[in-house]
Amino acid sequence: MYLHSTAGAADPPGSTHTLAADGGGIFAGVESWIADNFTPIADGLSNFVFAEVTLGGVTFPWIVSWLILGAIVFTIYFGFIQVRKFKLATDLVRGKFTDKNEPGEINHFQALASALSGTVGLGNIAGVGAAVTIGGAGATFWMICAGLLAMASKFVECTLGVKYREEHEDGTVSGGPMYYLSKGIADRFRNGFGVGLGKVLAVLTAIGILFFGIIGGNMFQSNQAFAQIRDVTGGDDGIFGSDGSALIFGIILAIVIGIVIIGGIKSIANVTSRLVPTMGVLYIVACLVVILVNFTAVPAAVGEIISGAFTGEGVAGGMIGALIVGIQRSAFSNEAGLGSAPIAHSAVKTKNPATEGFVALLEPFIDTVIVCTMTALTIVIAKPAIWTQGFADVNQNGADAPDGVTVTSNAFATVMPWFPYVLTVAVVLFAISTLITWGYYGEKAWGYLFGRNTVSIRIYQVLFCVMSAAGAVLTLQSVIDFADAVLFLLALFNITGLYLLLPVVKKEVKDFLGKIDSGEIQKKEKTKV
């Protein structure tokens, strides 16, 4: 759910988004003042986080290398656990190894749905469209590979999330990188350096999650949702083109979001456990319609994806170009290694931290390997003119890639001319689910930094809802660019901590699998999610 992915999978720092805004009055003045004063700060951080390195003639942000290197190390360290224990992960989601009376707030399926609601979003629609335009069909192959590797990163961070979570007297739970970095590193090294390092990493991570939660996971989502609704209803001349319509939309959205997040993770889980499957099924069914209508083209499309991965002509030529774009799309979609998902997974009902690590590894599989791949396959099979011409323009003439969401929408329109309306529903559902989940993530970061008493949390919730409403009106482009950079800067802090805590995760895995082997934990035959 990377924000720049709306424009493309390889956007440079400071790139712009197509955002809605009411251009007059006080809002324009506020936006202008913020842009003038905040842009240098945003540009500075973005230039560092998204600084590019060159490999084989292709440039890409170094942060992508950091994320994929971590995923490779974790995959090897745990012996390709995402492959060996995939069946166990699905059994755990179905509740076959856990008891409803175990400590925590939500079951494994609800935890997975809550975390997925924060990652499945516009990046799966728009970002993939841009990726296959820049990198060609072959980018899809490497996107899948990177998604499979990212499963190991989610496994590690979410195991730690449960291991070091805090269970409060009222039965609620707080977890995430703020807790496993501070408590875990201090516990493992048991010296002043370990305590200090863990605390610094934890505070920096909490600040990053809080800032992105309020801006990127909040304002950007409400803005994009309104933009799509306004565009599909006639733009400036439609029913949502009048002055004030954006603010009214934002207020209504904020009320809906506020009702959900005030109820806590149980309320959030109840919504996302229904919303995520609904929007996922809606979107995948639309993909399948296009694929089935063009069924005879499927073998050729699959062949194009595989051959393009090694011989493609995208992005300055050959395998390296397709590989980089595919990996980048995966990293910017599933957030593996950033430390956000462990916050939701930490609330799960379990006595064994490794159980949620196994459940969490399914997240990149669903988000990237399934949803992103379905989008890419739909585009490659449908071959809309904007994609074929866009690919030629980008790689032969050096032109900018067409808007990713337009590429995807046009692919669906080859079979379903009315698809923009379906896409609008999907975008709104994706925005709401992301808003809900990042509202919770931000709340946990706020509680870690400022205390989790009732007054403190209510202040945060009001602030979050106000910013949701404002997001439909203000673009705050420089602030959103800054939030982008902050989110991915988290990977620097989080993965450093994950490396230090790998032995802890290995012990948890050994203990849990040992309980299954000994019969202490037995598989239940009849379960209900």
Side-chain angles (χ1 to χ4, degrees), residues 166 168-170 172 174 179 261-262 442-462:
E166 290 189 356
H168 309 300
E169 293 182 359
D170 61 0
T172 60
S174 295
Y179 296 92
I261 65 172
I262 288 173
E443 180 181 314
K444 290 304 178 181
W446 177 284
Y448 181 83
L449 292 169
F450 304 113
R452 51 175 303 277
N453 61 76
T454 302
V455 174
S456 174
I457 296 302
R458 289 291 181 263
I459 291 173
Y460 164 79
Q461 290 169 342
V462 170

PDB file of all heavy atoms in Angstrom, residues 166 168-170 172 174 179 261-262 442-462:
ATOM      1  N   GLU A 166       2.090  -6.480  25.199  1.00  0.00           N
ATOM      2  CA  GLU A 166       1.685  -6.196  26.573  1.00  0.00           C
ATOM      3  C   GLU A 166       0.195  -6.438  26.721  1.00  0.00           C
ATOM      4  O   GLU A 166      -0.602  -5.920  25.929  1.00  0.00           O
ATOM      5  CB  GLU A 166       2.024  -4.747  26.945  1.00  0.00           C
ATOM      6  CG  GLU A 166       3.518  -4.489  27.073  1.00  0.00           C
ATOM      7  CD  GLU A 166       3.824  -3.103  27.646  1.00  0.00           C
ATOM      8  OE1 GLU A 166       2.857  -2.332  27.873  1.00  0.00           O
ATOM      9  OE2 GLU A 166       4.998  -2.801  27.858  1.00  0.00           O
ATOM     10  N   HIS A 168      -3.050  -5.849  28.951  1.00  0.00           N
ATOM     11  CA  HIS A 168      -3.487  -4.893  29.953  1.00  0.00           C
ATOM     12  C   HIS A 168      -4.593  -5.473  30.836  1.00  0.00           C
ATOM     13  O   HIS A 168      -5.212  -6.489  30.492  1.00  0.00           O
ATOM     14  CB  HIS A 168      -3.973  -3.614  29.265  1.00  0.00           C
ATOM     15  CG  HIS A 168      -2.984  -3.063  28.281  1.00  0.00           C
ATOM     16  ND1 HIS A 168      -1.715  -2.675  28.634  1.00  0.00           N
ATOM     17  CD2 HIS A 168      -3.081  -2.857  26.921  1.00  0.00           C
ATOM     18  CE1 HIS A 168      -1.069  -2.246  27.562  1.00  0.00           C
ATOM     19  NE2 HIS A 168      -1.874  -2.343  26.513  1.00  0.00           N
ATOM     20  N   GLU A 169      -4.833  -4.809  31.959  1.00  0.00           N
ATOM     21  CA  GLU A 169      -5.801  -5.308  32.930  1.00  0.00           C
ATOM     22  C   GLU A 169      -7.219  -5.393  32.372  1.00  0.00           C
ATOM     23  O   GLU A 169      -8.014  -6.227  32.802  1.00  0.00           O
ATOM     24  CB  GLU A 169      -5.795  -4.412  34.177  1.00  0.00           C
ATOM     25  CG  GLU A 169      -4.496  -4.494  34.978  1.00  0.00           C
ATOM     26  CD  GLU A 169      -4.553  -3.625  36.228  1.00  0.00           C
ATOM     27  OE1 GLU A 169      -5.604  -2.965  36.435  1.00  0.00           O
ATOM     28  OE2 GLU A 169      -3.573  -3.617  36.994  1.00  0.00           O
ATOM     29  N   ASP A 170      -7.531  -4.527  31.400  1.00  0.00           N
ATOM     30  CA  ASP A 170      -8.880  -4.542  30.832  1.00  0.00           C
ATOM     31  C   ASP A 170      -9.045  -5.587  29.731  1.00  0.00           C
ATOM     32  O   ASP A 170     -10.097  -5.660  29.086  1.00  0.00           O
ATOM     33  CB  ASP A 170      -9.246  -3.157  30.296  1.00  0.00           C
ATOM     34  CG  ASP A 170      -8.300  -2.683  29.187  1.00  0.00           C
ATOM     35  OD1 ASP A 170      -7.359  -3.426  28.836  1.00  0.00           O
ATOM     36  OD2 ASP A 170      -8.518  -1.569  28.673  1.00  0.00           O
ATOM     37  N   THR A 172      -7.301  -5.787  26.954  1.00  0.00           N
ATOM     38  CA  THR A 172      -6.789  -5.347  25.665  1.00  0.00           C
ATOM     39  C   THR A 172      -5.294  -5.635  25.558  1.00  0.00           C
ATOM     40  O   THR A 172      -4.618  -5.913  26.555  1.00  0.00           O
ATOM     41  CB  THR A 172      -7.039  -3.848  25.444  1.00  0.00           C
ATOM     42  OG1 THR A 172      -6.381  -3.101  26.474  1.00  0.00           O
ATOM     43  CG2 THR A 172      -8.530  -3.547  25.463  1.00  0.00           C
ATOM     44  N   SER A 174      -1.478  -4.541  23.538  1.00  0.00           N
ATOM     45  CA  SER A 174      -0.687  -3.615  22.724  1.00  0.00           C
ATOM     46  C   SER A 174       0.572  -4.336  22.267  1.00  0.00           C
ATOM     47  O   SER A 174       1.243  -4.996  23.057  1.00  0.00           O
ATOM     48  CB  SER A 174      -0.303  -2.366  23.521  1.00  0.00           C
ATOM     49  OG  SER A 174      -1.447  -1.606  23.861  1.00  0.00           O
ATOM     50  N   TYR A 179       7.315  -2.404  20.911  1.00  0.00           N
ATOM     51  CA  TYR A 179       7.469  -3.280  22.069  1.00  0.00           C
ATOM     52  C   TYR A 179       8.564  -4.323  21.869  1.00  0.00           C
ATOM     53  O   TYR A 179       9.374  -4.556  22.753  1.00  0.00           O
ATOM     54  CB  TYR A 179       6.127  -3.951  22.387  1.00  0.00           C
ATOM     55  CG  TYR A 179       5.085  -2.951  22.800  1.00  0.00           C
ATOM     56  CD1 TYR A 179       4.223  -2.374  21.861  1.00  0.00           C
ATOM     57  CD2 TYR A 179       4.964  -2.537  24.121  1.00  0.00           C
ATOM     58  CE1 TYR A 179       3.279  -1.426  22.229  1.00  0.00           C
ATOM     59  CE2 TYR A 179       4.026  -1.592  24.509  1.00  0.00           C
ATOM     60  CZ  TYR A 179       3.183  -1.035  23.554  1.00  0.00           C
ATOM     61  OH  TYR A 179       2.261  -0.087  23.926  1.00  0.00           O
ATOM     62  N   ILE A 261     -13.257   2.771  14.902  1.00  0.00           N
ATOM     63  CA  ILE A 261     -11.994   2.735  15.655  1.00  0.00           C
ATOM     64  C   ILE A 261     -12.201   2.978  17.148  1.00  0.00           C
ATOM     65  O   ILE A 261     -11.407   2.501  17.967  1.00  0.00           O
ATOM     66  CB  ILE A 261     -10.966   3.733  15.095  1.00  0.00           C
ATOM     67  CG1 ILE A 261     -11.417   5.178  15.272  1.00  0.00           C
ATOM     68  CG2 ILE A 261     -10.650   3.429  13.641  1.00  0.00           C
ATOM     69  CD1 ILE A 261     -10.342   6.189  14.896  1.00  0.00           C
ATOM     70  N   ILE A 262     -13.256   3.683  17.522  1.00  0.00           N
ATOM     71  CA  ILE A 262     -13.508   3.885  18.947  1.00  0.00           C
ATOM     72  C   ILE A 262     -13.843   2.556  19.624  1.00  0.00           C
ATOM     73  O   ILE A 262     -13.581   2.361  20.809  1.00  0.00           O
ATOM     74  CB  ILE A 262     -14.648   4.915  19.152  1.00  0.00           C
ATOM     75  CG1 ILE A 262     -14.143   6.321  18.804  1.00  0.00           C
ATOM     76  CG2 ILE A 262     -15.186   4.884  20.579  1.00  0.00           C
ATOM     77  CD1 ILE A 262     -15.197   7.400  18.813  1.00  0.00           C
ATOM     78  N   GLY A 442      -1.947   3.720  14.361  1.00  0.00           N
ATOM     79  CA  GLY A 442      -1.565   5.014  14.916  1.00  0.00           C
ATOM     80  C   GLY A 442      -1.928   5.137  16.387  1.00  0.00           C
ATOM     81  O   GLY A 442      -1.188   5.737  17.174  1.00  0.00           O
ATOM     82  N   GLU A 443      -3.077   4.559  16.754  1.00  0.00           N
ATOM     83  CA  GLU A 443      -3.505   4.612  18.157  1.00  0.00           C
ATOM     84  C   GLU A 443      -2.515   3.894  19.061  1.00  0.00           C
ATOM     85  O   GLU A 443      -2.201   4.366  20.161  1.00  0.00           O
ATOM     86  CB  GLU A 443      -4.890   3.989  18.291  1.00  0.00           C
ATOM     87  CG  GLU A 443      -5.427   3.982  19.705  1.00  0.00           C
ATOM     88  CD  GLU A 443      -6.793   3.347  19.802  1.00  0.00           C
ATOM     89  OE1 GLU A 443      -7.661   3.675  18.964  1.00  0.00           O
ATOM     90  OE2 GLU A 443      -6.999   2.517  20.713  1.00  0.00           O
ATOM     91  N   LYS A 444      -2.022   2.752  18.623  1.00  0.00           N
ATOM     92  CA  LYS A 444      -1.059   2.004  19.439  1.00  0.00           C
ATOM     93  C   LYS A 444       0.268   2.751  19.549  1.00  0.00           C
ATOM     94  O   LYS A 444       0.919   2.731  20.598  1.00  0.00           O
ATOM     95  CB  LYS A 444      -0.842   0.611  18.844  1.00  0.00           C
ATOM     96  CG  LYS A 444      -2.056  -0.298  18.990  1.00  0.00           C
ATOM     97  CD  LYS A 444      -2.485  -0.440  20.448  1.00  0.00           C
ATOM     98  CE  LYS A 444      -3.715  -1.300  20.619  1.00  0.00           C
ATOM     99  NZ  LYS A 444      -4.145  -1.406  22.038  1.00  0.00           N
ATOM    100  N   ALA A 445       0.677   3.413  18.469  1.00  0.00           N
ATOM    101  CA  ALA A 445       1.902   4.210  18.523  1.00  0.00           C
ATOM    102  C   ALA A 445       1.713   5.410  19.441  1.00  0.00           C
ATOM    103  O   ALA A 445       2.593   5.762  20.228  1.00  0.00           O
ATOM    104  CB  ALA A 445       2.284   4.667  17.116  1.00  0.00           C
ATOM    105  N   TRP A 446       0.540   6.054  19.351  1.00  0.00           N
ATOM    106  CA  TRP A 446       0.212   7.186  20.223  1.00  0.00           C
ATOM    107  C   TRP A 446       0.232   6.746  21.687  1.00  0.00           C
ATOM    108  O   TRP A 446       0.792   7.430  22.540  1.00  0.00           O
ATOM    109  CB  TRP A 446      -1.159   7.738  19.842  1.00  0.00           C
ATOM    110  CG  TRP A 446      -1.653   8.862  20.702  1.00  0.00           C
ATOM    111  CD1 TRP A 446      -2.172   8.775  21.967  1.00  0.00           C
ATOM    112  CD2 TRP A 446      -1.672  10.256  20.372  1.00  0.00           C
ATOM    113  NE1 TRP A 446      -2.533  10.008  22.426  1.00  0.00           N
ATOM    114  CE2 TRP A 446      -2.234  10.943  21.476  1.00  0.00           C
ATOM    115  CE3 TRP A 446      -1.297  10.992  19.242  1.00  0.00           C
ATOM    116  CZ2 TRP A 446      -2.404  12.329  21.479  1.00  0.00           C
ATOM    117  CZ3 TRP A 446      -1.474  12.365  19.248  1.00  0.00           C
ATOM    118  CH2 TRP A 446      -2.015  13.025  20.352  1.00  0.00           C
ATOM    119  N   GLY A 447      -0.389   5.606  21.963  1.00  0.00           N
ATOM    120  CA  GLY A 447      -0.427   5.105  23.331  1.00  0.00           C
ATOM    121  C   GLY A 447       0.960   4.818  23.876  1.00  0.00           C
ATOM    122  O   GLY A 447       1.233   5.041  25.058  1.00  0.00           O
ATOM    123  N   TYR A 448       1.834   4.315  23.024  1.00  0.00           N
ATOM    124  CA  TYR A 448       3.212   4.023  23.451  1.00  0.00           C
ATOM    125  C   TYR A 448       3.956   5.308  23.795  1.00  0.00           C
ATOM    126  O   TYR A 448       4.710   5.360  24.772  1.00  0.00           O
ATOM    127  CB  TYR A 448       3.952   3.282  22.342  1.00  0.00           C
ATOM    128  CG  TYR A 448       5.380   2.906  22.707  1.00  0.00           C
ATOM    129  CD1 TYR A 448       5.647   1.757  23.442  1.00  0.00           C
ATOM    130  CD2 TYR A 448       6.455   3.718  22.329  1.00  0.00           C
ATOM    131  CE1 TYR A 448       6.947   1.416  23.787  1.00  0.00           C
ATOM    132  CE2 TYR A 448       7.753   3.389  22.668  1.00  0.00           C
ATOM    133  CZ  TYR A 448       7.998   2.236  23.399  1.00  0.00           C
ATOM    134  OH  TYR A 448       9.290   1.906  23.743  1.00  0.00           O
ATOM    135  N   LEU A 449       3.729   6.359  23.006  1.00  0.00           N
ATOM    136  CA  LEU A 449       4.457   7.610  23.196  1.00  0.00           C
ATOM    137  C   LEU A 449       3.854   8.502  24.271  1.00  0.00           C
ATOM    138  O   LEU A 449       4.582   9.152  25.037  1.00  0.00           O
ATOM    139  CB  LEU A 449       4.492   8.383  21.864  1.00  0.00           C
ATOM    140  CG  LEU A 449       5.317   7.761  20.736  1.00  0.00           C
ATOM    141  CD1 LEU A 449       5.046   8.487  19.428  1.00  0.00           C
ATOM    142  CD2 LEU A 449       6.807   7.788  21.061  1.00  0.00           C
ATOM    143  N   PHE A 450       2.510   8.545  24.352  1.00  0.00           N
ATOM    144  CA  PHE A 450       1.849   9.527  25.220  1.00  0.00           C
ATOM    145  C   PHE A 450       0.973   8.911  26.318  1.00  0.00           C
ATOM    146  O   PHE A 450       0.321   9.641  27.061  1.00  0.00           O
ATOM    147  CB  PHE A 450       0.978  10.463  24.365  1.00  0.00           C
ATOM    148  CG  PHE A 450       1.739  11.159  23.278  1.00  0.00           C
ATOM    149  CD1 PHE A 450       1.483  10.882  21.945  1.00  0.00           C
ATOM    150  CD2 PHE A 450       2.731  12.081  23.579  1.00  0.00           C
ATOM    151  CE1 PHE A 450       2.186  11.519  20.934  1.00  0.00           C
ATOM    152  CE2 PHE A 450       3.436  12.735  22.579  1.00  0.00           C
ATOM    153  CZ  PHE A 450       3.172  12.451  21.250  1.00  0.00           C
ATOM    154  N   GLY A 451       0.941   7.590  26.395  1.00  0.00           N
ATOM    155  CA  GLY A 451       0.119   6.944  27.407  1.00  0.00           C
ATOM    156  C   GLY A 451      -1.203   6.487  26.831  1.00  0.00           C
ATOM    157  O   GLY A 451      -1.748   7.131  25.924  1.00  0.00           O
ATOM    158  N   ARG A 452      -1.729   5.387  27.373  1.00  0.00           N
ATOM    159  CA  ARG A 452      -2.934   4.803  26.810  1.00  0.00           C
ATOM    160  C   ARG A 452      -4.152   5.020  27.711  1.00  0.00           C
ATOM    161  O   ARG A 452      -5.116   4.260  27.678  1.00  0.00           O
ATOM    162  CB  ARG A 452      -2.738   3.320  26.533  1.00  0.00           C
ATOM    163  CG  ARG A 452      -2.179   2.492  27.701  1.00  0.00           C
ATOM    164  CD  ARG A 452      -2.137   1.017  27.361  1.00  0.00           C
ATOM    165  NE  ARG A 452      -3.430   0.513  26.993  1.00  0.00           N
ATOM    166  CZ  ARG A 452      -4.355   0.126  27.857  1.00  0.00           C
ATOM    167  NH1 ARG A 452      -4.143   0.248  29.163  1.00  0.00           N
ATOM    168  NH2 ARG A 452      -5.501  -0.348  27.437  1.00  0.00           N
ATOM    169  N   ASN A 453      -4.143   6.086  28.505  1.00  0.00           N
ATOM    170  CA  ASN A 453      -5.332   6.388  29.306  1.00  0.00           C
ATOM    171  C   ASN A 453      -6.448   6.870  28.389  1.00  0.00           C
ATOM    172  O   ASN A 453      -6.221   7.276  27.244  1.00  0.00           O
ATOM    173  CB  ASN A 453      -5.008   7.425  30.387  1.00  0.00           C
ATOM    174  CG  ASN A 453      -4.527   8.742  29.795  1.00  0.00           C
ATOM    175  OD1 ASN A 453      -5.322   9.520  29.284  1.00  0.00           O
ATOM    176  ND2 ASN A 453      -3.214   8.976  29.851  1.00  0.00           N
ATOM    177  N   THR A 454      -7.662   6.865  28.904  1.00  0.00           N
ATOM    178  CA  THR A 454      -8.841   7.156  28.092  1.00  0.00           C
ATOM    179  C   THR A 454      -8.780   8.532  27.439  1.00  0.00           C
ATOM    180  O   THR A 454      -9.077   8.694  26.250  1.00  0.00           O
ATOM    181  CB  THR A 454     -10.121   7.051  28.943  1.00  0.00           C
ATOM    182  OG1 THR A 454     -10.199   5.731  29.490  1.00  0.00           O
ATOM    183  CG2 THR A 454     -11.349   7.312  28.088  1.00  0.00           C
ATOM    184  N   VAL A 455      -8.376   9.544  28.191  1.00  0.00           N
ATOM    185  CA  VAL A 455      -8.314  10.910  27.653  1.00  0.00           C
ATOM    186  C   VAL A 455      -7.316  10.988  26.512  1.00  0.00           C
ATOM    187  O   VAL A 455      -7.590  11.572  25.449  1.00  0.00           O
ATOM    188  CB  VAL A 455      -7.941  11.916  28.764  1.00  0.00           C
ATOM    189  CG1 VAL A 455      -7.725  13.303  28.164  1.00  0.00           C
ATOM    190  CG2 VAL A 455      -9.024  11.955  29.836  1.00  0.00           C
ATOM    191  N   SER A 456      -6.150  10.409  26.704  1.00  0.00           N
ATOM    192  CA  SER A 456      -5.106  10.438  25.681  1.00  0.00           C
ATOM    193  C   SER A 456      -5.581   9.773  24.389  1.00  0.00           C
ATOM    194  O   SER A 456      -5.410  10.330  23.290  1.00  0.00           O
ATOM    195  CB  SER A 456      -3.843   9.727  26.197  1.00  0.00           C
ATOM    196  OG  SER A 456      -2.864   9.625  25.183  1.00  0.00           O
ATOM    197  N   ILE A 457      -6.189   8.602  24.521  1.00  0.00           N
ATOM    198  CA  ILE A 457      -6.639   7.861  23.341  1.00  0.00           C
ATOM    199  C   ILE A 457      -7.778   8.603  22.632  1.00  0.00           C
ATOM    200  O   ILE A 457      -7.837   8.641  21.398  1.00  0.00           O
ATOM    201  CB  ILE A 457      -7.080   6.438  23.720  1.00  0.00           C
ATOM    202  CG1 ILE A 457      -5.885   5.638  24.261  1.00  0.00           C
ATOM    203  CG2 ILE A 457      -7.695   5.729  22.520  1.00  0.00           C
ATOM    204  CD1 ILE A 457      -4.716   5.535  23.301  1.00  0.00           C
ATOM    205  N   ARG A 458      -8.674   9.221  23.390  1.00  0.00           N
ATOM    206  CA  ARG A 458      -9.771   9.968  22.762  1.00  0.00           C
ATOM    207  C   ARG A 458      -9.230  11.178  21.992  1.00  0.00           C
ATOM    208  O   ARG A 458      -9.753  11.530  20.927  1.00  0.00           O
ATOM    209  CB  ARG A 458     -10.783  10.427  23.821  1.00  0.00           C
ATOM    210  CG  ARG A 458     -11.609   9.295  24.404  1.00  0.00           C
ATOM    211  CD  ARG A 458     -12.583   8.717  23.377  1.00  0.00           C
ATOM    212  NE  ARG A 458     -13.379   7.644  23.958  1.00  0.00           N
ATOM    213  CZ  ARG A 458     -13.107   6.341  23.844  1.00  0.00           C
ATOM    214  NH1 ARG A 458     -12.037   5.958  23.143  1.00  0.00           N
ATOM    215  NH2 ARG A 458     -13.885   5.433  24.399  1.00  0.00           N
ATOM    216  N   ILE A 459      -8.217  11.825  22.509  1.00  0.00           N
ATOM    217  CA  ILE A 459      -7.601  12.942  21.792  1.00  0.00           C
ATOM    218  C   ILE A 459      -7.069  12.457  20.443  1.00  0.00           C
ATOM    219  O   ILE A 459      -7.276  13.106  19.408  1.00  0.00           O
ATOM    220  CB  ILE A 459      -6.456  13.565  22.624  1.00  0.00           C
ATOM    221  CG1 ILE A 459      -7.032  14.293  23.847  1.00  0.00           C
ATOM    222  CG2 ILE A 459      -5.621  14.528  21.761  1.00  0.00           C
ATOM    223  CD1 ILE A 459      -5.968  14.800  24.810  1.00  0.00           C
ATOM    224  N   TYR A 460      -6.392  11.314  20.463  1.00  0.00           N
ATOM    225  CA  TYR A 460      -5.877  10.763  19.208  1.00  0.00           C
ATOM    226  C   TYR A 460      -7.013  10.442  18.240  1.00  0.00           C
ATOM    227  O   TYR A 460      -6.936  10.762  17.040  1.00  0.00           O
ATOM    228  CB  TYR A 460      -5.056   9.494  19.460  1.00  0.00           C
ATOM    229  CG  TYR A 460      -4.854   8.702  18.189  1.00  0.00           C
ATOM    230  CD1 TYR A 460      -3.892   9.084  17.261  1.00  0.00           C
ATOM    231  CD2 TYR A 460      -5.679   7.605  17.884  1.00  0.00           C
ATOM    232  CE1 TYR A 460      -3.736   8.389  16.064  1.00  0.00           C
ATOM    233  CE2 TYR A 460      -5.522   6.912  16.695  1.00  0.00           C
ATOM    234  CZ  TYR A 460      -4.553   7.312  15.789  1.00  0.00           C
ATOM    235  OH  TYR A 460      -4.419   6.641  14.606  1.00  0.00           O
ATOM    236  N   GLN A 461      -8.057   9.802  18.731  1.00  0.00           N
ATOM    237  CA  GLN A 461      -9.155   9.384  17.855  1.00  0.00           C
ATOM    238  C   GLN A 461      -9.859  10.580  17.217  1.00  0.00           C
ATOM    239  O   GLN A 461     -10.224  10.544  16.040  1.00  0.00           O
ATOM    240  CB  GLN A 461     -10.146   8.516  18.643  1.00  0.00           C
ATOM    241  CG  GLN A 461      -9.578   7.150  18.993  1.00  0.00           C
ATOM    242  CD  GLN A 461     -10.426   6.386  19.996  1.00  0.00           C
ATOM    243  OE1 GLN A 461     -11.262   6.961  20.701  1.00  0.00           O
ATOM    244  NE2 GLN A 461     -10.218   5.078  20.075  1.00  0.00           N
ATOM    245  N   VAL A 462     -10.030  11.640  17.997  1.00  0.00           N
ATOM    246  CA  VAL A 462     -10.626  12.860  17.444  1.00  0.00           C
ATOM    247  C   VAL A 462      -9.701  13.454  16.378  1.00  0.00           C
ATOM    248  O   VAL A 462     -10.150  13.854  15.296  1.00  0.00           O
ATOM    249  CB  VAL A 462     -10.891  13.890  18.559  1.00  0.00           C
ATOM    250  CG1 VAL A 462     -11.273  15.245  17.958  1.00  0.00           C
ATOM    251  CG2 VAL A 462     -12.001  13.399  19.483  1.00  0.00           C
TER     252      VAL A 462
END
